Amino acid sequence: MFWFLLVLVITILGLLGHNFPCVGSSPHRILVDTDVDTDDIIALLYLLKLNKSEFDLVGITLSANAWTNAGHGVNQVYDLLHMMGRDDIAVGVGGEGVILDDGTILPDVGGYLPIIDQGMATAGGCRYRQTIPKGRKGLLDMDSNYGFRKHFLPQGNRRYTPLQQSTAQKVIANKVLEGPISIFLMGSHTNLALFVMSNPHLKHNIQHIYIMGGSVRCPNPTGFCGNLFTDFTSNPYAEFNIFADPFAAYQVFHSGIPITLVPLDATNTIPTNKKFFETFEKNQRTFEAQYIFKSLEIIRDTWSPEVFYSSYCMWDSFMAGVAVSIMKNAGNNNNNNNGENVFAEMEYMNITIVTSNEPYGLTDASNPFFDKQITPKFNLTLGGVHSGHVQSGLNDPICMQRRDKGNCKDGYTKETTGPDSVQVLVATRAKLNKKNYKSELDREFYVDILDVLNRPEEAGRFNLSTQFPYYREERFTPDLSTTQLGKPVIFDMDMSAGDFLTLFYLLKVPVEIIDLKAIIVSPTGWANAATIDVVYDLLHMMGRDDIPVGLGYLLALNQSDPTSPSVGDCLYAKAIPQGCGGFLDSDTLYGLARDLPRSARRYIAETSVAHGAPRNTDSPELRQPLALEVWKYLTKSVNEESKITVLTNGPLTSLAKIISSDKNSTSLIKGVYIVGGHININKSDKGNIFTVTSNAYAEFNMFLDPLAAKAVLESGLNITLIPLATQRNLTSFHMMLNSLNSTVQTPESQFVHRLLDRLHALHQDHMSYKHVGMFLGEIVGALFLGGDHAVLKPKLRDEQVKVIAEGSESKDGQILIDKLHGRRVQILESIDSRGCYESFASKLNDKRQSAVIGSFEEQRKKWITSPSRTLRRKKRTTPPSRTLRRKKWIT
Ligand SMILES: [Ca+2]
Ligand SMILES: [Ca+2]
């Protein structure tokens, strides 16, 4: 009877609960779409600190076409969540879906491109994104959080894994289906727009959209409406988040879902000023507060303090605060129509998003919604607001008609009373601190955010060094003082998968044969600049923390903008897919980069304070050295015998820049081995640029920077070309894996085996990985340089060639034989493929020059075990071979 009554009571309560969802206090469910900039990190940590029974962050999706690159961004989010003990929160990024020519949105579009440029692949132009710097103060600094991310954040088990990673569209769909939700937009609007456009029946579950973005009433204190600091000359109206995809923002604003906007108008009134900064400095009682403060400190030191204090505003974090305060006041009835809140003054405005420029209906070549379409995409109206000129890039001549001030308004959150306007609640300014008006922290939100971040509740558990009780940073360098060193070599890599295989091999060739002097990273190819950290980790594993790594130039020759050289076009770079098999996978080494031990060396934007040096130093010892600096340092004492051999496995950007900036360079180089180039003998003999179908005969490393290739070819250097045809001798994952299998013995051969195994499986499983076989052939240059020619049986011939570099994407990068005007190069015509597989495998399996620390897992074990206990155990169990191996390597 008791049980019957209990069940009855529970059933009635359950029914009541079901019928009256507002009874009691169910938490506000929140999904954040973010571009993982530092201020997004502040906002995310702020939200994670709130009482979970009141505000429940249920999902995070990545805006992959703005201020961060997907692979680096997603792993940073996983690390943040791990620190906060929230490995339960769903994270979505990317997707391989496409938009068909007729406007059909297939599931799982990755959001790597703005909707206007999204076609059948994740590779595509950079119309809007080219305004974001690729290097310092841009993607490189965001991807690494100014180098501080790997210094501070702990590492858990969650990470990006190819084909297993949840996509942004799936995470949004799941979370919206589960129940009413509010969505916070902190980056571009692409993901949410695609979701709303393809799932209109699910819109009703989205209660509210809170947006940081736009700039409504101008001019703001910068004298402009917007904040496109690299592009004021063509567009002074837009703000970055909206500009990243104006059409997507239009779809979101016009979706019919209630919207609250926190534009620059409001965030400009709450800068991270000196008083706030100094108060924050004294209040860092949690790991999350420390992570944020120290990130802000690096930004301050990287910018000038004056500029930072006045113009580094609280953007996404302020929006999060305002949104949460509005939701709190609304309660479960969701009744707070005027947006009453503690932090910002609010006002209703009628606005729209400008997606194209007047006059409408005159389609020029700028607008793919209408160009070459029989019916406009998404049934848009010719003559309507989307049918005007669309800004095509930084130097779009139509946008630059007025002196000093551009006249394109793409992405402008424009106040208007026209029929196309939407009523939106807009934050106009940050509220003063009323409780203590004379307080040095004169904004309510300044006080609140410091309070929330320092609360002991929901606090982060550890940072990297407290996660592991015996954590310590080590540097491994071999003692080569008594060794007769071999040929001095610089390896110039673009960090494609094959380049990491190559680097392992080069480190395994006896130092008596190849003395690897330096690595130059050219981020104009298959990976983004922040992937330089994977190179550092690999060197650390192999005990070679002594090898300098120089960061090359971020844009191919002639792609830099003349007025803002940190940004520029992607005429060639656009050939690399953003998603699977492209940047997403290179940047994470196909999900395996995190298995490498973590190096103490890493990309560093600025370390002035840590080193006690003056701020804003230019000294390369304190920050990431550049390619040219590493070159100068190495060549200080080069003589006839010690001339340098260069092996390039990527675009020739860095080498061309070195040649043009150092007049002596060509006399210091003994020879250059170029892995790349395609010499087509007959019509069916195609190149490998599968993403640019108009260019059938070029090869990636030449195509990605044709002018650099031309400059190097014409430099008079002694060049050996390892062309595509020769690389294609190596395409069998089976043979490579079998050779490695015969005797898998070293940590490096195990790692390489796992990488090849994964590439092989992906290659078989998914269309997006059909090209990855081409990375195998990238090892041929290093094999030719360091291997046994009796086994490899190389055949060489001389040829006179030239490379096309005319600024035409359908021809550039092609190599032609020209007996009259071509330059003489040596061509590696063929090489024995079996010999290659065996040479590679036997070197990798060789116990000499082997890893000093095998993996992150080994490092983790070391860091959780007391050194004294390890010593005792080692004495008992270390096999003699291991001691011997180390000795051999060290002496
Ligand atoms: Ca953001
Ligand atoms: Ca490469």
Side-chain angles (χ1 to χ4, degrees):
M1 192 61 186
F2 169 76
W3 288 110
F4 172 77
L5 282 175
L6 189 69
V7 169
L8 188 72
V9 168
I10 288 172
T11 312
I12 290 168
L13 282 175
L15 281 173
L16 277 173
H18 191 74
N19 290 335
F20 304 103
C22 299
V23 169
S25 54
S26 56
H28 296 277
R29 301 173 67 245
I30 297 169
L31 181 138
V32 169
D33 190 77
T34 164
D35 59 353
V36 208
D37 194 345
T38 307
D39 70 306
D40 300 65
I41 294 170
I42 305 174
L44 283 170
L45 290 172
Y46 176 88
L47 293 172
L48 288 166
K49 293 287 293 175
L50 301 173
N51 186 343
K52 210 178 136 200
S53 62
E54 211 178 343
F55 297 100
D56 191 9
L57 178 59
V58 295
I60 299 171
T61 52
L62 265 77
S63 151
N65 56 10
W67 278 83
T68 192
N69 290 300
H72 294 295
V74 69
N75 279 338
Q76 170 148 219
V77 169
Y78 281 136
D79 290 344
L80 283 168
L81 291 175
H82 187 62
M83 173 169 84
M84 302 305 288
R86 295 302 306 274
D87 288 332
D88 59 306
I89 294 177
V91 176
V93 68
E96 294 295 296
V98 299
I99 299 180
L100 302 179
D101 269 352
D102 69 1
T104 309
I105 301 170
L106 296 186
D108 271 334
V109 179
Y112 298 107
L113 298 161
I115 293 173
I116 192 169
D117 290 327
Q118 178 66 60
M120 299 297 288
T122 68
C126 52
R127 166 196 306 266
Y128 305 120
R129 205 185 187 190
Q130 64 180 278
T131 53
I132 298 173
K134 286 174 78 88
R136 290 179 57 228
K137 299 187 188 179
L139 292 166
L140 171 57
D141 280 336
M142 302 311 139
D143 285 344
S144 62
N145 197 22
Y146 293 80
F148 191 55
R149 165 189 160 197
K150 282 195 74 185
H151 177 75
F152 191 94
L153 290 182
Q155 179 169 327
N157 291 328
R158 285 215 296 176
R159 61 164 87 178
Y160 164 78
T161 303
L163 300 185
Q164 288 173 34
Q165 170 64 46
S166 303
T167 61
Q169 291 298 314
K170 283 228 173 73
V171 169
I172 298 176
N174 288 343
K175 294 303 154 191
V176 169
L177 273 169
E178 280 167 17
I181 196 163
S182 295
I183 295 185
F184 289 17
L185 296 181
M186 303 182 183
S188 70
H189 294 193
T190 315
N191 288 332
L192 185 61
L194 289 167
F195 178 77
V196 172
M197 288 165 84
S198 43
N199 299 280
H201 59 290
L202 293 177
K203 271 198 287 194
H204 66 274
N205 254 10
I206 303 175
Q207 291 176 310
H208 207 104
I209 302 171
Y210 295 90
I211 297 167
M212 190 280 127
S215 178
V216 185
R217 290 183 178 163
C218 349
N220 64 40
T222 62
F224 298 98
C225 278
N227 66 354
L228 305 180
F229 61 92
T230 53
D231 193 30
F232 286 141
T233 48
S234 60
N235 186 328
Y237 297 93
E239 176 279 335
F240 274 107
N241 286 348
I242 309 291
F243 187 69
D245 192 346
F247 184 76
Y250 182 96
Q251 294 299 324
V252 167
F253 275 83
H254 291 257
S255 64
I257 302 166
I259 285 175
T260 297
L261 179 68
V262 179
L264 295 179
D265 311 39
T267 58
N268 282 333
T269 67
I270 185 156
T272 308
N273 64 21
K274 197 162 186 233
K275 280 281 168 276
F276 173 80
F277 189 84
E278 285 170 356
T279 313
F280 198 172
E281 193 164 19
K282 291 179 214 133
N283 288 281
Q284 303 175 55
R285 295 185 294 279
T286 59
F287 290 112
E288 52 278 21
Q290 286 167 23
Y291 188 59
I292 294 171
F293 177 76
K294 296 207 163 53
S295 305
L296 291 173
E297 193 176 38
I298 295 172
I299 299 170
R300 185 197 60 175
D301 293 346
T302 308
W303 300 29
S304 79
E306 300 73 46
V307 177
F308 173 82
Y309 290 135
S310 65
S311 57
Y312 194 90
C313 297
M314 295 192 176
W315 296 290
D316 297 331
S317 57
F318 186 58
M319 182 273 277
V322 171
V324 161
S325 180
I326 291 175
M327 288 158 92
K328 208 175 243 175
N329 285 343
N332 272 358
N333 305 324
N334 208 18
N335 184 13
N336 181 5
N337 287 341
N338 289 326
E340 292 299 329
N341 76 91
V342 188
F343 306 123
E345 287 167 19
M346 309 299 292
E347 188 177 332
Y348 273 103
M349 296 182 194
N350 289 312
I351 64 168
T352 192
I353 308 293
V354 178
T355 62
S356 73
N357 297 277
E358 292 179 78
Y360 300 135
L362 288 173
T363 62
D364 51 25
S366 70
N367 192 335
F369 288 135
F370 296 88
D371 299 335
K372 297 181 199 153
Q373 301 278 348
I374 300 160
T375 48
K377 232 173 183 176
F378 310 121
N379 287 322
L380 300 177
T381 315
L382 187 64
V385 293
H386 306 299
S387 67
H389 176 81
V390 182
Q391 185 168 350
S392 60
L394 283 160
N395 291 306
D396 182 337
I398 292 179
C399 299
M400 304 183 68
Q401 282 165 359
R402 274 191 259 159
R403 201 177 277 207
D404 303 331
K405 198 178 175 191
N407 59 2
C408 274
K409 297 183 178 174
D410 307 59
Y412 179 27
T413 40
K414 184 182 167 193
E415 208 173 356
T416 171
T417 49
D420 207 37
S421 69
V422 200
Q423 202 186 43
V424 170
L425 194 56
V426 180
T428 54
R429 59 165 62 215
K431 281 187 180 168
L432 296 175
N433 178 5
K434 281 202 209 90
K435 279 173 239 139
N436 187 356
Y437 189 64
K438 293 277 187 302
S439 158
E440 288 182 329
L441 294 178
D442 58 0
R443 301 278 185 277
E444 288 282 352
F445 190 64
Y446 284 147
V447 181
D448 178 71
I449 192 166
L450 289 186
D451 174 49
V452 170
L453 290 174
N454 281 300
R455 271 179 204 160
E457 295 86 15
E458 315 285 348
R461 302 173 298 169
F462 35 61
N463 64 13
L464 179 66
S465 55
T466 60
Q467 183 183 18
F468 305 109
Y470 301 100
Y471 174 85
R472 85 195 150 102
E473 290 195 339
E474 288 175 289
R475 281 177 198 240
F476 301 126
T477 54
D479 178 5
L480 302 171
S481 56
T482 56
T483 315
Q484 185 74 36
L485 294 171
K487 186 190 290 201
V489 171
I490 290 179
F491 179 43
D492 183 343
M493 63 194 285
D494 70 344
M495 305 183 287
S496 58
D499 293 2
F500 285 105
L501 301 175
T502 307
L503 180 54
F504 269 120
Y505 175 82
L506 287 170
L507 293 167
K508 294 296 293 182
V509 175
V511 287
E512 293 84 354
I513 297 174
I514 283 184
D515 174 22
L516 188 58
K517 286 280 182 206
I519 292 163
I520 285 172
V521 154
S522 290
T524 48
W526 279 86
N528 290 298
T531 308
I532 197 167
D533 279 347
V534 184
V535 177
Y536 281 126
D537 288 350
L538 194 159
L539 290 173
H540 184 63
M541 168 178 175
M542 299 303 290
R544 295 306 305 267
D545 289 327
D546 56 315
I547 297 179
V549 181
L551 177 66
Y553 298 85
L554 287 124
L555 291 150
L557 303 196
N558 260 18
Q559 296 292 289
S560 260
D561 183 64
T563 46
S564 307
S566 67
V567 294
D569 200 4
C570 61
L571 178 63
Y572 307 110
K574 70 165 188 277
I576 310 286
Q578 296 284 331
C580 292
F583 289 118
L584 176 62
D585 279 310
S586 304
D587 287 344
T588 56
L589 197 46
Y590 291 76
L592 295 174
R594 286 159 84 91
D595 289 343
L596 297 171
R598 286 168 76 128
S599 158
R601 287 200 299 170
R602 61 182 80 86
Y603 167 75
I604 289 173
E606 174 105 13
T607 58
S608 50
V609 181
H611 289 78
R615 293 201 169 108
N616 304 318
T617 174
D618 285 330
S619 172
E621 292 85 53
L622 302 177
R623 55 155 171 80
Q624 172 56 50
L626 303 174
L628 192 63
E629 288 164 347
V630 167
W631 170 263
K632 291 264 180 183
Y633 165 78
L634 276 185
T635 52
K636 263 191 295 196
S637 56
V638 167
N639 56 35
E640 198 52 39
E641 282 84 65
S642 60
K643 277 183 162 189
I644 307 259
T645 297
V646 181
L647 170 66
T648 70
N649 262 36
L652 295 160
T653 319
S654 301
L655 189 54
K657 285 274 191 179
I658 286 170
I659 293 169
S660 70
S661 358
D662 176 5
K663 293 218 160 46
N664 291 327
S665 60
T666 46
S667 66
L668 305 172
I669 297 176
K670 192 171 178 197
V672 182
Y673 293 76
I674 297 174
V675 175
H678 176 57
I679 302 159
N680 71 305
I681 307 296
N682 57 56
K683 275 227 142 151
S684 62
D685 192 12
K686 299 273 170 71
N688 65 356
I689 319 287
F690 62 96
T691 43
V692 182
T693 44
S694 65
N695 192 332
Y697 298 105
E699 177 275 341
F700 270 106
N701 288 343
M702 299 293 119
F703 177 80
L704 288 164
D705 196 341
L707 272 175
K710 190 173 151 77
V712 171
L713 208 60
E714 293 177 357
S715 63
L717 283 166
N718 177 12
I719 290 173
T720 305
L721 201 65
I722 295 96
L724 197 55
T726 314
Q727 295 174 48
R728 279 174 172 159
N729 282 321
L730 268 66
T731 49
S732 169
F733 283 106
H734 268 302
M735 287 183 67
M736 185 94 119
L737 283 164
N738 281 343
S739 310
L740 278 167
N741 263 342
S742 55
T743 42
V744 176
Q745 285 172 338
T746 61
E748 56 274 18
S749 66
Q750 284 166 7
F751 183 88
V752 164
H753 195 278
R754 288 183 58 208
L755 176 58
L756 288 169
D757 216 22
R758 180 161 286 182
L759 289 172
H760 186 207
L762 294 168
H763 183 253
Q764 287 177 320
D765 282 0
H766 200 279
M767 273 309 290
S768 305
Y769 291 97
K770 279 290 161 262
H771 62 283
V772 299
M774 76 189 191
F775 296 128
L776 285 179
E778 292 198 281
I779 63 174
V780 175
L783 284 167
F784 180 58
L785 205 56
D788 179 356
H789 285 197
V791 179
L792 298 168
K793 304 187 190 88
K795 260 196 215 133
L796 293 155
R797 73 166 197 269
D798 275 1
E799 200 75 82
Q800 272 162 300
V801 299
K802 65 177 185 192
V803 60
I804 302 180
E806 298 169 355
S808 150
E809 67 175 75
S810 58
K811 281 195 271 176
D812 278 4
Q814 296 182 15
I815 289 184
L816 304 175
I817 293 175
D818 186 336
K819 303 268 184 229
L820 275 179
H821 306 105
R823 295 297 172 122
R824 181 174 294 280
V825 295
Q826 189 175 230
I827 290 178
L828 179 64
E829 195 175 57
S830 70
I831 195 157
D832 183 75
S833 58
R834 188 173 292 275
C836 285
Y837 294 125
E838 279 167 10
S839 299
F840 182 77
S842 71
K843 275 282 172 294
L844 265 290
N845 283 333
D846 195 333
K847 286 190 171 180
R848 281 170 299 180
Q849 295 183 199
S850 185
V852 170
I853 182 147
S855 61
F856 176 70
E857 185 52 28
E858 190 181 321
Q859 195 176 39
R860 197 186 67 82
K861 279 188 190 143
K862 205 167 134 182
W863 287 340
I864 57 172
T865 316
S866 154
S868 57
R869 276 184 57 196
T870 323
L871 262 181
R872 243 180 288 138
R873 208 171 51 224
K874 254 195 188 151
K875 265 187 196 148
R876 280 202 306 271
T877 59
T878 307
S881 66
R882 192 185 163 84
T883 328
L884 206 67
R885 190 174 84 220
R886 282 222 185 150
K887 255 194 186 155
K888 247 189 194 163
W889 180 215
I890 288 162
T891 53

